[in-house]
Amino acid sequence: MTAALADAALRGFLTTAPPSEVFAAARTARDSAFGSSLTYSRKVFIPLTQLCRDVCHYCTFAKAPRGLAKPYLTPDDVLDIARAGAAAGCKEALFTLGDKPELRYAKAREALAELGFATTVDYLEHVAGRVLKETGLLPHINAGVLSPQDYARLRPVSASMGLMLESAADRLCERGGPHHGSPDKAPAVRLATIAQAGEAQIPFTSGLLIGIGETRDERLDALLALRDLHDRHGHLQEIIIQNFRAKPGTRMAAAPEPSEDELLWTIAAARLVFGGGLSIQSPPNLNPGRIEALIDAGLDDWGGISPVTIDHVNPEAPWPEIEGLAAQCAGKGHVLAERLTAHPRFVADPERWLDPAVRKRVTALSDADGLGREGSWSPGVAAPAPGRPGDPLGMGPAPAIARHRALERCLADVEAGREPQTTDITELFSARGAAAADIVAAADGLRRQVCGETVTYAINRNINYTNICTFSCSFCAFSKTSTKAGTRDRPYVLSHEEVGARALEAWEAGATEVCLQGGIHPSYTGETYLSICRAVKAACPDMHIHAFSPLEIAHGAASLGRPVDDFLRMLKDEGLASLPGTAAEILDDEVRAILCPDKVDTAQWLAIIAAAHGVGLPTTSTIMFGHVDRPIHWTRHLLALRRLQARTGGITEFVPLPFVHMQSPIYLRGLARKGPTWRESVLMHAVGRIALHGEISNVQASWVKLGLEGAAALLDAGVNDLGGVLMNESISRAAGAAHGQGLEREDIEAVLARMGRPARQRTTLYGTPAPRPSAAPELAPA
């Protein structure tokens, strides 16, 4: 079917089908693309100037110079508004202004000259850049008709821009029409400008103003014209369907407003014209009492809502309270999620759509789905995590909902011993609100079924024998060279004697395990690793040696010219008892190409772990998440672990490691997020429990990344193990974590006692340690 025939069929359906069928089709398209989420952007409204050369007959925003105290907001005015927004948790600064007022008003030219600028765009570029740099808010610019040169100048100081098409009907510009005397409202002019934004690769917003004299057919003409531009450039992120409001003091004060039926029909039509690829928005402050009807018509976005500033275009229409809007969305089975001014599709492809100066801030404000980051918590911060025992997500009582369909399918698969579907697992990672709470509860049910109520932990010591490394992993703040010294540690190498002494000291303090890992020192060979094992065993024959990541194994084997399995047997003969499943990061080469391009790849990591299992060396498994990765990458990682375990059975536990960002090189370059959000951290443990059910029995929470109280909260989210006390942990500390350096067993047991959960000290392989004399309470610092 040609596009013309398809459009004709769509027109026919929209013209003849009953509204209920139209709305049902729109909802289906919306739900297939956006699931249960409805979005909004928390913003401040900055009316840089209300002077405009156009004279739209319905507008009260534009004013003559005599109606304004000053023609332009000053830079201090702008920054005061932006700072108030940042303090209120806003992420967007919406710049709205009249179109080229200096071409009409001498007062505008004089004011710009006093400010030191020749044009409004000159001034806009300056103040938007200051807002981005000094407050961190993301500018969204609505500056009317712009040239390609204007877009080139404004792109480095904005995350998105917009221009309402309003209508594609030329007749509305004729004498007596609402756009007569407004040269910038000519449809051809506006469509050309929107096309130029696409050529400039700018995330862009457009839409219709309905009820100003256009017909339904003319609305469809406008929507199809916008769709054609989007088909060419891919730059439209949302279509706004805004209903005309008659305002006193305008020429259209007595004009009839569009009916609710017209508004809902147009929203549904926009959804069906654009399908699921774009957001369809309608302003909630212009439609009080219609929220549920708008949702039923296929809307998925509410646009910007400000807790700080009024809607200067519609000052008579107050913003809804965000909490109240969230409750109304929940009543319709949807969760309200905050987004950025750049929508997720553009956040996920920053090299194309975002200037480098803007990308850094967008990345810092976004979550793994490309939506707005929830809360201020990050892994490793000293502030407590939002979750608590009994309420892992920290969201309070969750409303009762029908069970998440993807969750039902996953549970059915794993209970039957089948691998869950990629799409289902990925969908679980993006769950929010009550759906997320349902996933957490299901995971904890599986934990209870497999592990009971007892929480395990080990007494162990970390020995990081060197932090000098020849590899250039972009996330790592631990490794150092003479030219890559971090802010916490200097390059060092521990002697074998010191390694043995630390192992003995740990044994005397009650440890049953030493965990040995280090950088890939340029002078190390496989013999180095064999000697380290000998040193530990010579000092402490009964200590369990849990050592050497797959990267170290690969390096050691290659340096000796031996196959990996041979080298593993050699290590085992010298006392190696198990391997940490670290260096996994994300088992997806798309991500590894960014994080660790010179490290072992996914297939090599899996092969080394399988080889370890093959020679009788069990391993843990890890995932380091929350940097440049997305839920699909997490899913691929979990399924790779599940498949490996199904073949070898050698994995003892799954250990999610939230990315600690503070001193990480990739974060400091503006290319990584601030670690996972708390919701993402909880879901990683919960979804890991579900996806790995029937294969890996133990799920561990890292108190080093989450804090002890945060890790304890996850004991109600599928976690059954708190790892080890990790005397002298240093890798997370090097990245900026406030936690680490070791716990006492009393710390762990006190937290568990408050929760009413039994505690059990375990060995590395989940056995019960043999009785020993009382241990010394403390160790010397590393």
Side-chain angles (χ1 to χ4, degrees), residues 91 337-338 365 367 372-377 432 677-680:
K91 297 181 175 69
E338 185 182 357
L365 290 173
D367 69 9
R373 190 174 183 87
E374 305 156 304
S376 60
W377 181 87
R432 296 167 189 267
T677 66
W678 179 251
R679 177 187 61 84
E680 292 165 348

Side-chain angles (χ1 to χ4, degrees), residues 541-608:
D542 293 325
M543 182 69 81
H544 182 107
I545 301 178
H546 181 68
F548 310 134
S549 72
L551 180 61
E552 291 164 285
I553 297 298
H555 172 70
S559 70
L560 298 179
R562 303 293 293 267
V564 164
D565 55 351
D566 281 358
F567 181 55
L568 287 166
R569 289 188 185 93
M570 293 168 68
L571 289 167
K572 185 178 180 183
D573 288 344
E574 297 295 347
L576 180 65
S578 62
L579 270 66
T582 50
E585 326 316 350
I586 299 291
L587 294 176
D588 186 291
D589 288 335
E590 178 182 328
V591 177
R592 298 181 80 80
I594 301 170
L595 291 182
C596 47
D598 54 351
K599 213 171 200 176
V600 292
D601 62 22
T602 297
Q604 290 169 327
W605 189 94
L606 292 168
I608 291 168

Side-chain angles (χ1 to χ4, degrees), residues 138 340 347 350 354 358-367 373 627-628 630 666-667 670-674:
L138 301 174
L340 304 179
V347 175
L354 300 174
V358 178
R359 176 182 179 177
K360 182 173 184 177
R361 186 60 187 162
V362 169
T363 301
L365 290 173
S366 66
D367 69 9
R373 190 174 183 87
H627 31 76
V628 300
R630 304 287 176 195
I666 194 171
Y667 172 77
L671 303 179
R673 302 190 301 278
K674 293 182 177 181

Side-chain angles (χ1 to χ4, degrees), residues 112-128:
L112 286 169
E114 289 179 10
L115 289 164
F117 300 93
T119 69
T120 298
V121 170
D122 294 339
Y123 183 45
L124 175 60
E125 179 187 13
H126 172 74
V127 291

Side-chain angles (χ1 to χ4, degrees), residues 371-425:
L371 293 170
R373 190 174 183 87
E374 305 156 304
S376 60
W377 181 87
S378 289
V381 299
R388 53 191 177 274
D391 182 16
L393 289 164
M395 58 182 282
I401 59 168
R403 173 149 282 185
H404 197 295
R405 281 174 291 183
L407 174 59
E408 286 285 7
R409 292 191 294 269
C410 280
L411 291 174
D413 283 339
V414 297
E415 291 285 14
R418 298 187 299 266
E419 179 180 294
Q421 297 297 306
T422 297
T423 52
D424 288 338
I425 299 174

Side-chain angles (χ1 to χ4, degrees), residues 109-341:
R109 295 190 292 274
E110 293 166 3
L112 286 169
E114 289 179 10
L115 289 164
F117 300 93
T119 69
T120 298
V121 170
D122 294 339
Y123 183 45
L124 175 60
E125 179 187 13
H126 172 74
V127 291
R130 288 194 63 183
V131 165
L132 179 67
K133 182 178 180 180
E134 297 178 34
T135 74
L137 296 188
L138 301 174
H140 173 85
I141 291 175
N142 289 338
V145 172
L146 298 172
S147 69
Q149 294 76 22
D150 294 333
Y151 283 132
R153 293 174 58 193
L154 295 174
R155 191 176 188 269
V157 296
S158 62
S160 59
M161 300 188 210
L163 178 69
M164 293 286 282
L165 174 58
E166 296 197 6
S167 174
D170 289 315
R171 66 184 182 81
L172 298 184
C173 295
E174 297 171 357
R175 185 174 296 278
H179 291 155
H180 181 65
S182 300
D184 299 300
K185 291 302 176 74
V189 171
R190 294 177 91 75
L191 286 168
T193 301
I194 296 167
Q196 288 162 356
E199 292 166 3
Q201 297 189 325
I202 293 169
F204 209 76
T205 294
S206 192
L208 310 186
L209 177 62
I210 70 166
I212 56 174
E214 81 293 342
T215 66
R216 281 189 173 187
D217 274 345
E218 287 168 336
R219 288 180 215 155
L220 285 175
D221 290 340
L223 291 170
L224 290 170
L226 288 171
R227 190 204 61 194
D228 289 344
L229 292 181
H230 181 65
D231 286 346
R232 292 209 299 273
H233 303 293
H235 65 309
L236 295 182
Q237 57 180 4
E238 60 188 335
I239 297 297
I240 302 172
I241 306 302
Q242 182 168 331
N243 44 312
F244 159 71
R245 295 284 294 267
K247 295 180 173 63
T250 67
R251 292 188 183 183
M252 295 181 67
E257 296 182 351
S259 68
E260 181 174 309
D261 289 344
E262 289 298 306
L263 174 63
L264 300 179
W265 180 89
T266 310
I267 289 171
R271 171 61 67 206
L272 295 176
V273 166
F274 286 95
L278 272 72
S279 284
I280 305 299
Q281 176 196 131
S282 194
N285 61 316
L286 300 186
N287 294 286
R290 294 174 174 171
I291 298 302
E292 293 184 357
L294 295 176
I295 295 172
D296 285 341
L299 170 147
D300 71 280
D301 187 78
W302 301 110
I305 299 174
S306 181
V308 177
T309 53
I310 65 169
D311 179 352
H312 290 277
V313 174
N314 300 284
E316 78 287 353
W319 302 113
E321 293 288 336
I322 293 171
E323 293 76 11
L325 182 62
Q328 289 180 286
C329 293
K332 295 295 292 182
H334 292 268
V335 63
L336 185 65
E338 185 182 357
R339 63 164 172 82
L340 304 179
T341 183

